[in-house]
């Protein structure tokens, strides 16, 4: 019987293959079910192999490449106690995130229809509206290795940030299609509560401002030790 990670890869390839025309809800449910079964030992992930050098300026995040083809990518991210995955987007992508070690605080946002900024302190941002995204909160929750995966679509929850809770955390990440030239990651910050939509009763509207890649986010690398994956 194929290893769980191979089963996941096979289903992801079938689900996200563009030649199928569109992503089937039934196939996506199969991918989510396979993702939910993945545990750290299925990937031969050893948390003791991760170097934590917070006091000496070590990388706040460790990246482990698992697999990549023309359709999707699979990676493991290890967030060290003082690290984070900053708020970022996934242009036109589906994404699944399964915690395999520790727990994380995940916040995600869904883009809304464009609205107006009323607060005078932020009127200068209207001159460059491409750097602003009007969003509402999609999820704000603690996720552990005992929980099922979280996932995003090109529309729902496409902006998210991930922080570790009570120590180091790790998660398996599947993106379809993956980041590539022409499909790049953008980083954002949430503007203050004094930025309001034209409908002042809509307290759920928030604004994200595009920023440069945060200086406190970079990765070192570890070699994947788990089962090989065949295309």
């Amino acid at each position: 019987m194929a290893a769980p990670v191979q089963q996941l890869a096979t289903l992801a390839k079938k689900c996200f293959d563009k030649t199928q025309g569109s992503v089937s809800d039934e196939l996506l449910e199969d991918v989510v079910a396979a993702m939910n079964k993945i545990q750290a030992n299925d990937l031969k992930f050893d948390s003791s192999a991760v170097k934590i050098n917070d006091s000496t300026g070590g990388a706040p995040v460790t990246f482990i490449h698992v697999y990549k083809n023309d359709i999707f990518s699979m990676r493991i991210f290890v967030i060290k106690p003082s690290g984070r995955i900053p708020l970022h987007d996934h242009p036109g992508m589906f994404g699944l995130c399964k915690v395999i070690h520790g727990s994380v605080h995940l916040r995600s946002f869904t883009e809304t229809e464009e609205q107006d900024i009323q607060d005078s302190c932020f009127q200068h941002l209207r001159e460059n509206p491409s750097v602003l995204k009007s969003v509402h909160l999609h999820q704000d929750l603690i996720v552990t290795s005992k929980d099922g995966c979280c996932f995003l679509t090109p529309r729902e929850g496409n902006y998210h940030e991930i922080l570790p809770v009570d120590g180091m955390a790790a998660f398996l990440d599947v993106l379809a299609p993956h980041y590539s030239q022409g499909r790049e990651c953008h980083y954002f910050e949430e503007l203050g509560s004094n930025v309001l939509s034209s409908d002042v009763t809509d307290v759920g509207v928030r604004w994200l401002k595009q920023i440069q890649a945060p200086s406190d986010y970079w990765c070192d690398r570890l070699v994947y030790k788990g089962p090989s994956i065949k295309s």
Side-chain angles (χ1 to χ4, degrees):
M1 185 175 180
V5 67
Q6 177 66 66
Q7 296 178 42
L8 172 61
T10 300
L11 289 168
K13 181 179 180 181
K14 184 178 181 181
C15 177
F16 299 117
D17 188 345
K18 287 186 177 180
T19 63
Q20 301 296 325
S22 62
V23 174
S24 159
D25 289 342
E26 183 178 353
L27 290 177
L28 183 57
E29 288 176 3
D30 290 342
V31 175
V32 170
M35 189 81 161
N36 287 343
K37 295 178 182 178
I38 297 294
Q39 299 180 9
N41 58 0
D42 295 319
L43 304 166
K44 298 296 187 287
F45 172 72
D46 180 6
S47 61
S48 67
V50 179
K51 296 181 179 179
I52 300 178
N53 298 312
D54 291 344
S55 62
T56 58
V61 176
T62 291
F63 171 84
I64 303 172
H65 170 75
V66 177
Y67 178 74
K68 181 178 180 181
N69 61 18
D70 292 338
I71 299 173
F72 69 95
S73 65
M74 300 175 65
R75 306 91 53 86
I76 298 170
F77 286 92
V78 187
I79 315 176
K80 300 169 189 179
S82 63
R84 63 173 178 142
I85 305 293
L87 182 59
H88 63 285
D89 64 353
H90 308 80
M93 300 177 184
F94 289 84
L96 298 93
C97 170
K98 175 65 173 71
V99 176
I100 59 172
H101 177 85
S103 58
V104 302
H105 180 194
L106 182 145
R107 296 173 74 238
S108 63
F109 301 88
T110 295
E111 190 169 0
T112 66
E113 294 183 4
E114 183 179 354
Q115 302 192 42
D116 193 16
I117 299 177
Q118 296 297 305
D119 194 293
S120 60
C121 294
F122 295 89
Q123 288 298 315
H124 66 284
L125 294 176
R126 300 181 66 178
E127 299 175 4
N128 188 9
S130 64
V131 303
L132 290 177
K133 300 293 180 181
S134 173
V135 300
H136 64 77
L137 185 66
H138 179 69
Q139 288 183 315
D140 186 350
L141 69 168
I142 303 297
V143 187
T144 76
S145 58
K146 296 180 180 180
D147 295 317
C149 69
C150 300
F151 69 93
L152 57 89
T153 73
R155 171 64 181 164
E156 297 293 325
N158 197 268
Y159 303 81
H160 73 193
E161 63 180 354
I162 306 174
L163 293 84
V165 177
D166 296 329
M168 185 176 71
F171 62 90
L172 176 66
D173 179 74
V174 173
L175 287 179
H178 49 71
Y179 290 115
S180 60
Q181 187 173 4
R183 189 186 300 276
E184 300 176 350
C185 178
H186 307 95
Y187 296 94
F188 298 85
E189 65 179 0
E190 185 177 0
L191 297 182
S193 58
N194 56 346
V195 181
L196 302 177
S197 71
S198 55
D199 179 2
V200 294
T201 65
D202 187 2
V203 295
V205 173
R206 308 179 186 210
W207 291 89
L208 305 183
K209 176 186 175 184
Q210 186 174 330
I211 60 173
Q212 296 295 319
S215 60
D216 64 346
Y217 173 64
W218 74 99
C219 302
D220 58 17
R221 290 176 177 257
L222 276 180
V223 175
Y224 172 62
K225 301 290 187 180
S228 60
I229 299 172
K230 297 179 181 180
S231 59

